[in-house]
Amino acid sequence: MKILFFGDVFGRPGREVLCEQYDILCKEHNPDFVIANVENIAHGMGITLTAIEELGKRGALFHAFTSGNHHFANQGVYDVISHPAIPLVRPLNYQDAAGVGARVVESGARRLLVVNVMGRIFMKDTSLSNPFLAMNDILQKYTIDPHEDGKERVDGIFVDIHAETTAEKRAMGFHLDGRVSAVVGTHTHVPTRDEQILRGGTAYISDVGMVGPFHSSLGLDKDSIVEEMVQEQRTKRDVSDESLVEIGAVLIKVKENGLSDHIQHIRLVVNKS
């Protein structure tokens, strides 16, 4: 079973290049499941129904969408949450929030549990519960181990940890090693080259990177961010109109036992058409 996951899709440049490259990448890698983090899909912050539907209208079809700290930044997200055909997953450890933090998606006969969880170190949201305990709770209900009684068996478990620090992401990887198929990091928009299979068989990477403007500051216009840093004063932040756009993604191969034996980081830089 193969999973193709795209890091934070940033605004219109990210949406457009993802749609343009979707068929090429799927033909090359032939994934069973395609997932994307979409917390920045609407003008670089938040989620709207229009932005999500644009992907489908242009032929990019996804089995699940994950998110992060900007999940509720746009009121339009509630239209997405209530839409029965859009498999959006919010951070699991948001307490008493709308939507779901985990869902089982299907591709043919295969069933994959997709979980989104958010780190707490340097994150401003005080409503987050302990992400490690939240993962323990969800793994009391689902398992990749056919010998674990009293739990629902799935063919794989994919975890997107949306967090600021590599230390917290690494800790989550080790915490879940051998219990899930993959733990991939998002949020910092800068890809790390530490992709690996942990000792227990879980695929791991600290940050996949983003799908967004290449010569930018995390997707935002670089000149305005430089001015903000120099002047020590907040400036207007706009999505970069840079013509080069990068794609950060990972391809993960999951064995019949639900653990992984391969993770490949993908980074492309392309010209917007």
Side-chain angles (χ1 to χ4, degrees), residues 95-126:
Q95 301 180 63
D96 302 319
V100 298
R103 67 168 70 227
V104 175
V105 295
E106 298 181 356
S107 177
R110 296 182 174 90
R111 302 172 70 246
L112 178 70
L113 177 68
V114 178
V115 188
N116 189 193
V117 67
M118 196 147 77
R120 295 194 296 181
I121 299 174
F122 298 140
M123 302 295 263
K124 298 177 182 178
D125 198 323
T126 59

PDB file of all heavy atoms in Angstrom, residues 95-126:
ATOM      1  N   GLN A  95      -9.958  20.481  21.983  1.00  0.00           N
ATOM      2  CA  GLN A  95     -10.995  20.006  22.887  1.00  0.00           C
ATOM      3  C   GLN A  95     -12.352  20.601  22.520  1.00  0.00           C
ATOM      4  O   GLN A  95     -12.489  21.806  22.339  1.00  0.00           O
ATOM      5  CB  GLN A  95     -10.634  20.373  24.327  1.00  0.00           C
ATOM      6  CG  GLN A  95      -9.307  19.776  24.783  1.00  0.00           C
ATOM      7  CD  GLN A  95      -8.976  20.141  26.208  1.00  0.00           C
ATOM      8  OE1 GLN A  95      -9.681  19.793  27.141  1.00  0.00           O
ATOM      9  NE2 GLN A  95      -7.873  20.865  26.379  1.00  0.00           N
ATOM     10  N   ASP A  96     -13.354  19.733  22.403  1.00  0.00           N
ATOM     11  CA  ASP A  96     -14.749  20.147  22.146  1.00  0.00           C
ATOM     12  C   ASP A  96     -14.869  21.017  20.899  1.00  0.00           C
ATOM     13  O   ASP A  96     -15.628  21.999  20.873  1.00  0.00           O
ATOM     14  CB  ASP A  96     -15.308  20.900  23.359  1.00  0.00           C
ATOM     15  CG  ASP A  96     -15.253  20.075  24.634  1.00  0.00           C
ATOM     16  OD1 ASP A  96     -15.551  18.873  24.562  1.00  0.00           O
ATOM     17  OD2 ASP A  96     -14.892  20.628  25.690  1.00  0.00           O
ATOM     18  N   ALA A  97     -14.135  20.687  19.848  1.00  0.00           N
ATOM     19  CA  ALA A  97     -14.183  21.456  18.610  1.00  0.00           C
ATOM     20  C   ALA A  97     -15.039  20.745  17.571  1.00  0.00           C
ATOM     21  O   ALA A  97     -15.233  19.527  17.618  1.00  0.00           O
ATOM     22  CB  ALA A  97     -12.769  21.669  18.068  1.00  0.00           C
ATOM     23  N   ALA A  98     -15.534  21.524  16.614  1.00  0.00           N
ATOM     24  CA  ALA A  98     -16.319  20.946  15.529  1.00  0.00           C
ATOM     25  C   ALA A  98     -15.428  20.072  14.650  1.00  0.00           C
ATOM     26  O   ALA A  98     -14.224  20.286  14.551  1.00  0.00           O
ATOM     27  CB  ALA A  98     -16.943  22.064  14.696  1.00  0.00           C
ATOM     28  N   GLY A  99     -16.058  19.088  14.021  1.00  0.00           N
ATOM     29  CA  GLY A  99     -15.317  18.211  13.130  1.00  0.00           C
ATOM     30  C   GLY A  99     -14.727  17.013  13.849  1.00  0.00           C
ATOM     31  O   GLY A  99     -15.011  16.757  15.027  1.00  0.00           O
ATOM     32  N   VAL A 100     -13.880  16.266  13.136  1.00  0.00           N
ATOM     33  CA  VAL A 100     -13.276  15.056  13.686  1.00  0.00           C
ATOM     34  C   VAL A 100     -11.756  15.132  13.582  1.00  0.00           C
ATOM     35  O   VAL A 100     -11.205  15.741  12.669  1.00  0.00           O
ATOM     36  CB  VAL A 100     -13.787  13.792  12.962  1.00  0.00           C
ATOM     37  CG1 VAL A 100     -15.286  13.635  13.151  1.00  0.00           C
ATOM     38  CG2 VAL A 100     -13.443  13.830  11.469  1.00  0.00           C
ATOM     39  N   GLY A 101     -11.072  14.497  14.533  1.00  0.00           N
ATOM     40  CA  GLY A 101      -9.616  14.490  14.549  1.00  0.00           C
ATOM     41  C   GLY A 101      -9.017  13.246  13.937  1.00  0.00           C
ATOM     42  O   GLY A 101      -7.790  13.139  13.827  1.00  0.00           O
ATOM     43  N   ALA A 102      -9.856  12.303  13.536  1.00  0.00           N
ATOM     44  CA  ALA A 102      -9.398  11.074  12.906  1.00  0.00           C
ATOM     45  C   ALA A 102     -10.541  10.494  12.096  1.00  0.00           C
ATOM     46  O   ALA A 102     -11.704  10.622  12.484  1.00  0.00           O
ATOM     47  CB  ALA A 102      -8.923  10.068  13.952  1.00  0.00           C
ATOM     48  N   ARG A 103     -10.206   9.882  10.981  1.00  0.00           N
ATOM     49  CA  ARG A 103     -11.244   9.207  10.198  1.00  0.00           C
ATOM     50  C   ARG A 103     -10.633   8.087   9.376  1.00  0.00           C
ATOM     51  O   ARG A 103      -9.476   8.163   8.949  1.00  0.00           O
ATOM     52  CB  ARG A 103     -12.004  10.180   9.301  1.00  0.00           C
ATOM     53  CG  ARG A 103     -11.224  10.801   8.186  1.00  0.00           C
ATOM     54  CD  ARG A 103     -12.160  11.510   7.193  1.00  0.00           C
ATOM     55  NE  ARG A 103     -12.782  12.698   7.710  1.00  0.00           N
ATOM     56  CZ  ARG A 103     -14.079  12.990   7.595  1.00  0.00           C
ATOM     57  NH1 ARG A 103     -14.891  12.154   6.997  1.00  0.00           N
ATOM     58  NH2 ARG A 103     -14.571  14.118   8.056  1.00  0.00           N
ATOM     59  N   VAL A 104     -11.424   7.046   9.171  1.00  0.00           N
ATOM     60  CA  VAL A 104     -11.015   5.930   8.332  1.00  0.00           C
ATOM     61  C   VAL A 104     -11.452   6.221   6.900  1.00  0.00           C
ATOM     62  O   VAL A 104     -12.623   6.527   6.650  1.00  0.00           O
ATOM     63  CB  VAL A 104     -11.631   4.604   8.819  1.00  0.00           C
ATOM     64  CG1 VAL A 104     -11.278   3.469   7.852  1.00  0.00           C
ATOM     65  CG2 VAL A 104     -11.140   4.264  10.222  1.00  0.00           C
ATOM     66  N   VAL A 105     -10.491   6.146   5.964  1.00  0.00           N
ATOM     67  CA  VAL A 105     -10.801   6.342   4.551  1.00  0.00           C
ATOM     68  C   VAL A 105     -10.459   5.050   3.811  1.00  0.00           C
ATOM     69  O   VAL A 105      -9.651   4.241   4.277  1.00  0.00           O
ATOM     70  CB  VAL A 105     -10.027   7.537   3.964  1.00  0.00           C
ATOM     71  CG1 VAL A 105     -10.485   8.828   4.626  1.00  0.00           C
ATOM     72  CG2 VAL A 105      -8.520   7.378   4.137  1.00  0.00           C
ATOM     73  N   GLU A 106     -11.087   4.870   2.670  1.00  0.00           N
ATOM     74  CA  GLU A 106     -10.951   3.617   1.941  1.00  0.00           C
ATOM     75  C   GLU A 106     -10.452   3.834   0.531  1.00  0.00           C
ATOM     76  O   GLU A 106     -10.738   4.857  -0.107  1.00  0.00           O
ATOM     77  CB  GLU A 106     -12.297   2.881   1.909  1.00  0.00           C
ATOM     78  CG  GLU A 106     -12.816   2.507   3.292  1.00  0.00           C
ATOM     79  CD  GLU A 106     -14.144   1.765   3.242  1.00  0.00           C
ATOM     80  OE1 GLU A 106     -14.700   1.619   2.118  1.00  0.00           O
ATOM     81  OE2 GLU A 106     -14.618   1.326   4.296  1.00  0.00           O
ATOM     82  N   SER A 107      -9.692   2.867   0.047  1.00  0.00           N
ATOM     83  CA  SER A 107      -9.240   2.823  -1.342  1.00  0.00           C
ATOM     84  C   SER A 107      -9.276   1.368  -1.770  1.00  0.00           C
ATOM     85  O   SER A 107      -8.439   0.565  -1.335  1.00  0.00           O
ATOM     86  CB  SER A 107      -7.824   3.384  -1.476  1.00  0.00           C
ATOM     87  OG  SER A 107      -7.362   3.279  -2.814  1.00  0.00           O
ATOM     88  N   GLY A 108     -10.264   1.021  -2.572  1.00  0.00           N
ATOM     89  CA  GLY A 108     -10.486  -0.382  -2.878  1.00  0.00           C
ATOM     90  C   GLY A 108     -10.845  -1.123  -1.605  1.00  0.00           C
ATOM     91  O   GLY A 108     -11.719  -0.703  -0.849  1.00  0.00           O
ATOM     92  N   ALA A 109     -10.141  -2.208  -1.322  1.00  0.00           N
ATOM     93  CA  ALA A 109     -10.401  -2.989  -0.110  1.00  0.00           C
ATOM     94  C   ALA A 109      -9.579  -2.507   1.073  1.00  0.00           C
ATOM     95  O   ALA A 109      -9.749  -2.994   2.195  1.00  0.00           O
ATOM     96  CB  ALA A 109     -10.111  -4.467  -0.370  1.00  0.00           C
ATOM     97  N   ARG A 110      -8.692  -1.547   0.854  1.00  0.00           N
ATOM     98  CA  ARG A 110      -7.797  -1.086   1.916  1.00  0.00           C
ATOM     99  C   ARG A 110      -8.443   0.030   2.736  1.00  0.00           C
ATOM    100  O   ARG A 110      -9.118   0.902   2.207  1.00  0.00           O
ATOM    101  CB  ARG A 110      -6.475  -0.606   1.325  1.00  0.00           C
ATOM    102  CG  ARG A 110      -5.670  -1.700   0.639  1.00  0.00           C
ATOM    103  CD  ARG A 110      -4.351  -1.157   0.125  1.00  0.00           C
ATOM    104  NE  ARG A 110      -3.498  -2.200  -0.405  1.00  0.00           N
ATOM    105  CZ  ARG A 110      -3.507  -2.592  -1.671  1.00  0.00           C
ATOM    106  NH1 ARG A 110      -4.330  -2.016  -2.526  1.00  0.00           N
ATOM    107  NH2 ARG A 110      -2.692  -3.549  -2.069  1.00  0.00           N
ATOM    108  N   ARG A 111      -8.160  -0.010   4.037  1.00  0.00           N
ATOM    109  CA  ARG A 111      -8.699   0.981   4.964  1.00  0.00           C
ATOM    110  C   ARG A 111      -7.545   1.641   5.718  1.00  0.00           C
ATOM    111  O   ARG A 111      -6.699   0.959   6.298  1.00  0.00           O
ATOM    112  CB  ARG A 111      -9.676   0.326   5.947  1.00  0.00           C
ATOM    113  CG  ARG A 111     -10.837  -0.371   5.255  1.00  0.00           C
ATOM    114  CD  ARG A 111     -11.692  -1.170   6.219  1.00  0.00           C
ATOM    115  NE  ARG A 111     -12.448  -0.299   7.093  1.00  0.00           N
ATOM    116  CZ  ARG A 111     -12.284  -0.207   8.412  1.00  0.00           C
ATOM    117  NH1 ARG A 111     -11.330  -0.934   9.010  1.00  0.00           N
ATOM    118  NH2 ARG A 111     -13.036   0.586   9.136  1.00  0.00           N
ATOM    119  N   LEU A 112      -7.522   2.974   5.687  1.00  0.00           N
ATOM    120  CA  LEU A 112      -6.451   3.735   6.318  1.00  0.00           C
ATOM    121  C   LEU A 112      -7.046   4.696   7.337  1.00  0.00           C
ATOM    122  O   LEU A 112      -7.965   5.459   7.024  1.00  0.00           O
ATOM    123  CB  LEU A 112      -5.683   4.531   5.252  1.00  0.00           C
ATOM    124  CG  LEU A 112      -4.550   5.442   5.745  1.00  0.00           C
ATOM    125  CD1 LEU A 112      -3.373   4.603   6.252  1.00  0.00           C
ATOM    126  CD2 LEU A 112      -4.096   6.373   4.636  1.00  0.00           C
ATOM    127  N   LEU A 113      -6.527   4.660   8.559  1.00  0.00           N
ATOM    128  CA  LEU A 113      -6.908   5.638   9.571  1.00  0.00           C
ATOM    129  C   LEU A 113      -5.998   6.845   9.432  1.00  0.00           C
ATOM    130  O   LEU A 113      -4.776   6.726   9.522  1.00  0.00           O
ATOM    131  CB  LEU A 113      -6.784   5.048  10.977  1.00  0.00           C
ATOM    132  CG  LEU A 113      -7.091   6.026  12.127  1.00  0.00           C
ATOM    133  CD1 LEU A 113      -8.563   6.409  12.136  1.00  0.00           C
ATOM    134  CD2 LEU A 113      -6.672   5.437  13.476  1.00  0.00           C
ATOM    135  N   VAL A 114      -6.603   8.003   9.194  1.00  0.00           N
ATOM    136  CA  VAL A 114      -5.849   9.256   9.070  1.00  0.00           C
ATOM    137  C   VAL A 114      -6.091  10.084  10.328  1.00  0.00           C
ATOM    138  O   VAL A 114      -7.241  10.359  10.687  1.00  0.00           O
ATOM    139  CB  VAL A 114      -6.283  10.041   7.821  1.00  0.00           C
ATOM    140  CG1 VAL A 114      -5.521  11.371   7.730  1.00  0.00           C
ATOM    141  CG2 VAL A 114      -6.055   9.204   6.565  1.00  0.00           C
ATOM    142  N   VAL A 115      -5.002  10.457  10.994  1.00  0.00           N
ATOM    143  CA  VAL A 115      -5.084  11.210  12.250  1.00  0.00           C
ATOM    144  C   VAL A 115      -4.277  12.498  12.104  1.00  0.00           C
ATOM    145  O   VAL A 115      -3.187  12.499  11.535  1.00  0.00           O
ATOM    146  CB  VAL A 115      -4.523  10.396  13.442  1.00  0.00           C
ATOM    147  CG1 VAL A 115      -4.802  11.125  14.756  1.00  0.00           C
ATOM    148  CG2 VAL A 115      -5.110   8.991  13.473  1.00  0.00           C
ATOM    149  N   ASN A 116      -4.827  13.576  12.621  1.00  0.00           N
ATOM    150  CA  ASN A 116      -4.119  14.859  12.677  1.00  0.00           C
ATOM    151  C   ASN A 116      -4.003  15.240  14.152  1.00  0.00           C
ATOM    152  O   ASN A 116      -4.975  15.178  14.901  1.00  0.00           O
ATOM    153  CB  ASN A 116      -4.930  15.912  11.914  1.00  0.00           C
ATOM    154  CG  ASN A 116      -4.221  17.227  11.693  1.00  0.00           C
ATOM    155  OD1 ASN A 116      -4.835  18.209  11.319  1.00  0.00           O
ATOM    156  ND2 ASN A 116      -2.910  17.279  11.897  1.00  0.00           N
ATOM    157  N   VAL A 117      -2.800  15.584  14.585  1.00  0.00           N
ATOM    158  CA  VAL A 117      -2.600  15.966  15.979  1.00  0.00           C
ATOM    159  C   VAL A 117      -1.682  17.180  15.997  1.00  0.00           C
ATOM    160  O   VAL A 117      -0.846  17.354  15.107  1.00  0.00           O
ATOM    161  CB  VAL A 117      -2.009  14.786  16.795  1.00  0.00           C
ATOM    162  CG1 VAL A 117      -0.606  14.455  16.356  1.00  0.00           C
ATOM    163  CG2 VAL A 117      -2.099  15.030  18.288  1.00  0.00           C
ATOM    164  N   MET A 118      -1.849  18.053  16.986  1.00  0.00           N
ATOM    165  CA  MET A 118      -1.073  19.286  17.015  1.00  0.00           C
ATOM    166  C   MET A 118      -0.185  19.349  18.250  1.00  0.00           C
ATOM    167  O   MET A 118      -0.594  19.020  19.356  1.00  0.00           O
ATOM    168  CB  MET A 118      -2.001  20.510  16.996  1.00  0.00           C
ATOM    169  CG  MET A 118      -1.276  21.790  16.638  1.00  0.00           C
ATOM    170  SD  MET A 118      -2.333  22.921  15.727  1.00  0.00           S
ATOM    171  CE  MET A 118      -3.341  23.571  17.044  1.00  0.00           C
ATOM    172  N   GLY A 119       1.057  19.772  18.011  1.00  0.00           N
ATOM    173  CA  GLY A 119       1.981  19.962  19.113  1.00  0.00           C
ATOM    174  C   GLY A 119       1.608  21.181  19.951  1.00  0.00           C
ATOM    175  O   GLY A 119       0.828  22.041  19.519  1.00  0.00           O
ATOM    176  N   ARG A 120       2.215  21.284  21.143  1.00  0.00           N
ATOM    177  CA  ARG A 120       1.888  22.404  22.042  1.00  0.00           C
ATOM    178  C   ARG A 120       3.069  23.346  22.298  1.00  0.00           C
ATOM    179  O   ARG A 120       2.860  24.484  22.707  1.00  0.00           O
ATOM    180  CB  ARG A 120       1.372  21.863  23.381  1.00  0.00           C
ATOM    181  CG  ARG A 120       0.058  21.124  23.265  1.00  0.00           C
ATOM    182  CD  ARG A 120      -0.597  20.890  24.607  1.00  0.00           C
ATOM    183  NE  ARG A 120       0.203  20.027  25.474  1.00  0.00           N
ATOM    184  CZ  ARG A 120      -0.175  19.654  26.699  1.00  0.00           C
ATOM    185  NH1 ARG A 120      -1.347  20.062  27.188  1.00  0.00           N
ATOM    186  NH2 ARG A 120       0.585  18.861  27.420  1.00  0.00           N
ATOM    187  N   ILE A 121       4.301  22.890  22.051  1.00  0.00           N
ATOM    188  CA  ILE A 121       5.465  23.730  22.336  1.00  0.00           C
ATOM    189  C   ILE A 121       5.496  24.916  21.372  1.00  0.00           C
ATOM    190  O   ILE A 121       5.457  24.743  20.150  1.00  0.00           O
ATOM    191  CB  ILE A 121       6.760  22.913  22.219  1.00  0.00           C
ATOM    192  CG1 ILE A 121       6.764  21.758  23.229  1.00  0.00           C
ATOM    193  CG2 ILE A 121       7.976  23.805  22.441  1.00  0.00           C
ATOM    194  CD1 ILE A 121       7.933  20.819  23.088  1.00  0.00           C
ATOM    195  N   PHE A 122       5.532  26.135  21.919  1.00  0.00           N
ATOM    196  CA  PHE A 122       5.556  27.395  21.168  1.00  0.00           C
ATOM    197  C   PHE A 122       4.300  27.642  20.345  1.00  0.00           C
ATOM    198  O   PHE A 122       4.276  28.530  19.498  1.00  0.00           O
ATOM    199  CB  PHE A 122       6.788  27.484  20.260  1.00  0.00           C
ATOM    200  CG  PHE A 122       8.092  27.461  20.988  1.00  0.00           C
ATOM    201  CD1 PHE A 122       9.166  26.742  20.482  1.00  0.00           C
ATOM    202  CD2 PHE A 122       8.258  28.151  22.179  1.00  0.00           C
ATOM    203  CE1 PHE A 122      10.386  26.717  21.155  1.00  0.00           C
ATOM    204  CE2 PHE A 122       9.463  28.122  22.859  1.00  0.00           C
ATOM    205  CZ  PHE A 122      10.529  27.408  22.348  1.00  0.00           C
ATOM    206  N   MET A 123       3.259  26.871  20.560  1.00  0.00           N
ATOM    207  CA  MET A 123       1.988  27.116  19.882  1.00  0.00           C
ATOM    208  C   MET A 123       1.109  27.943  20.824  1.00  0.00           C
ATOM    209  O   MET A 123       1.094  27.717  22.035  1.00  0.00           O
ATOM    210  CB  MET A 123       1.295  25.807  19.520  1.00  0.00           C
ATOM    211  CG  MET A 123       2.118  24.903  18.631  1.00  0.00           C
ATOM    212  SD  MET A 123       2.433  25.557  16.991  1.00  0.00           S
ATOM    213  CE  MET A 123       1.158  24.772  16.049  1.00  0.00           C
ATOM    214  N   LYS A 124       0.384  28.903  20.269  1.00  0.00           N
ATOM    215  CA  LYS A 124      -0.340  29.865  21.093  1.00  0.00           C
ATOM    216  C   LYS A 124      -1.696  29.366  21.586  1.00  0.00           C
ATOM    217  O   LYS A 124      -2.270  29.960  22.492  1.00  0.00           O
ATOM    218  CB  LYS A 124      -0.532  31.162  20.300  1.00  0.00           C
ATOM    219  CG  LYS A 124       0.772  31.850  19.920  1.00  0.00           C
ATOM    220  CD  LYS A 124       0.524  33.079  19.070  1.00  0.00           C
ATOM    221  CE  LYS A 124       1.833  33.741  18.662  1.00  0.00           C
ATOM    222  NZ  LYS A 124       1.612  34.925  17.794  1.00  0.00           N
ATOM    223  N   ASP A 125      -2.195  28.312  21.006  1.00  0.00           N
ATOM    224  CA  ASP A 125      -3.533  27.839  21.344  1.00  0.00           C
ATOM    225  C   ASP A 125      -3.530  27.108  22.684  1.00  0.00           C
ATOM    226  O   ASP A 125      -2.920  26.049  22.833  1.00  0.00           O
ATOM    227  CB  ASP A 125      -4.039  26.909  20.244  1.00  0.00           C
ATOM    228  CG  ASP A 125      -5.543  26.716  20.283  1.00  0.00           C
ATOM    229  OD1 ASP A 125      -6.096  26.662  21.398  1.00  0.00           O
ATOM    230  OD2 ASP A 125      -6.156  26.640  19.216  1.00  0.00           O
ATOM    231  N   THR A 126      -4.209  27.671  23.654  1.00  0.00           N
ATOM    232  CA  THR A 126      -4.242  27.088  25.000  1.00  0.00           C
ATOM    233  C   THR A 126      -5.324  26.026  25.162  1.00  0.00           C
ATOM    234  O   THR A 126      -5.422  25.421  26.229  1.00  0.00           O
ATOM    235  CB  THR A 126      -4.454  28.189  26.051  1.00  0.00           C
ATOM    236  OG1 THR A 126      -5.687  28.874  25.777  1.00  0.00           O
ATOM    237  CG2 THR A 126      -3.304  29.195  26.032  1.00  0.00           C
TER     238      THR A 126
END
